[in-house]
Amino acid sequence: MIRQMLLGLGLMMTGSGAVAACGGGDDVCEIESGSYHIEVPDAEHPPLVVFLHGYGGNGAATMRNRSLVDGLLARGYAVMAPNGSQRIGSNRGLSWNFYPGWEGRDETEFLQNVVADAADRFGLDEDRVLLGGFSAGGFMVNYLACAAPETFSAYVPVSGGFWRPHPTECNGPIRMLHTHGWTDNVVPLEGRVLGGGRFVQGDIFAGLEIWRLANGCSDHKPSGFSREGEFMHRRWTCGKDSALEFVLFPGGHQVPKGWADLVVNWYEGLPGS
């Protein structure tokens, strides 16, 4: 009881868009299997965007992307940045255990646990949780959505899809907004070879075909196209409880400015959101 009162006091003292009780700056919220950073808006039961860092990054660095964090807070969304894990046999920084056959932390279980912990601490809406991520974090988003699509309300990867060999199929349906830079040379749209041929990044468009199949689309052709500033959209509307949208922007390997509003506008336009 005392712990909950202190957490509540910390939350009230933060004000709109500030750090709540733990998780801000270099401080973290800890659970048995890892840790996370979080900031919450001044709102009752806000939705949550969980954003996974890229290879070699960490949650604290994600929270320093103030365009992303402040943009989501301003729209009434809490922002969580979990910390990845050290992959077995590697000492090259934190990443995510997404590739089939790799040993290490069960990331689906870990992410479910950090969301449950944050919901308990800060009164978040567990029914409205979006999982996003950049680069390696974006790959993690795709693999988790493929295996366990019901885990989160929607998926919003940036610059990350699948590796070869592509999955033969994914469970579905899913609701996904994939954002990618036209000139991305780290995760090119066509994929690339890594580690002397040991690993090969997949083709983003091949991944979109996998998602169309998971969503039960009867045609490859997009249902619609649009453009907002530098964002070029193509979308597939294929059935109940599914949504698939692909957005290109002219930059490279980065989270583009305006991504927060892009995601919120898309998500809040979905039925039931």
Side-chain angles (χ1 to χ4, degrees):
M1 177 63 71
I2 292 176
R3 175 177 175 272
Q4 292 299 323
M5 290 174 62
L6 290 173
L7 288 170
L9 178 61
L11 184 59
M12 289 187 291
M13 290 175 63
T14 60
S16 177
V19 179
C22 69
D26 293 324
D27 187 21
V28 293
C29 297
E30 305 255 6
I31 66 169
E32 183 177 353
S33 54
S35 60
Y36 64 93
H37 299 257
I38 189 168
E39 295 189 29
V40 299
D42 185 11
E44 186 174 357
H45 302 304
L48 171 67
V49 174
V50 180
F51 197 86
L52 309 181
H53 60 75
Y55 179 76
N58 55 60
T62 296
M63 300 306 283
R64 289 195 290 270
N65 183 343
R66 298 316 303 181
S67 173
L68 183 154
V69 176
D70 291 338
L72 291 169
L73 291 171
R75 298 292 297 269
Y77 285 68
V79 185
M80 175 193 287
N83 286 303
S85 58
Q86 191 83 49
R87 195 164 69 81
I88 294 174
S90 172
N91 60 356
R92 300 179 62 185
L94 301 180
S95 191
W96 304 97
N97 187 36
F98 60 81
Y99 194 74
W102 279 352
E103 296 182 0
R105 185 172 68 184
D106 183 329
E107 304 290 21
T108 300
E109 181 180 54
F110 166 67
L111 292 170
Q112 288 176 311
N113 287 342
V114 291
V115 168
D117 184 80
D120 179 58
R121 290 178 189 252
F122 308 116
L124 308 177
D125 185 347
E126 289 187 88
D127 292 326
R128 292 188 295 159
V129 180
L130 295 79
L131 181 65
F134 171 67
S135 195
F139 286 107
M140 182 71 246
V141 171
N142 275 269
Y143 278 100
L144 188 152
C146 183
E150 72 287 348
T151 306
F152 297 105
S153 176
Y155 298 92
V156 287
V158 182
S159 301
F162 294 114
W163 286 19
R164 294 181 185 273
H166 299 100
T168 55
E169 63 179 354
C170 285
N171 298 320
I174 54 104
R175 304 196 297 178
M176 177 177 285
L177 173 72
H178 181 128
T179 310
H180 215 102
W182 176 253
T183 59
D184 191 333
N185 200 36
V186 177
V187 182
L189 290 165
E190 300 80 5
R192 67 175 177 133
V193 177
L194 296 168
R198 291 185 300 123
F199 303 108
V200 183
Q201 291 173 353
D203 186 295
I204 297 300
F205 291 100
L208 289 170
E209 181 168 7
I210 294 169
W211 288 124
R212 288 194 297 270
L213 290 171
N215 278 0
C217 297
S218 59
D219 196 352
H220 304 296
K221 179 183 176 182
S223 307
F225 306 85
S226 62
R227 180 166 183 169
E228 299 173 73
E230 293 187 330
F231 292 125
M232 300 179 65
H233 301 245
R234 55 203 307 126
R235 64 186 60 86
W236 293 264
T237 304
C238 301
K240 183 181 178 183
D241 299 324
S242 77
L244 181 61
E245 190 153 338
F246 182 55
V247 179
L248 281 171
F249 63 95
H253 194 63
Q254 65 194 77
V255 181
K257 291 183 178 179
W259 184 83
D261 283 328
L262 172 73
V263 165
V264 173
N265 291 342
W266 169 79
Y267 181 67
E268 294 187 348
L270 298 177
S273 297

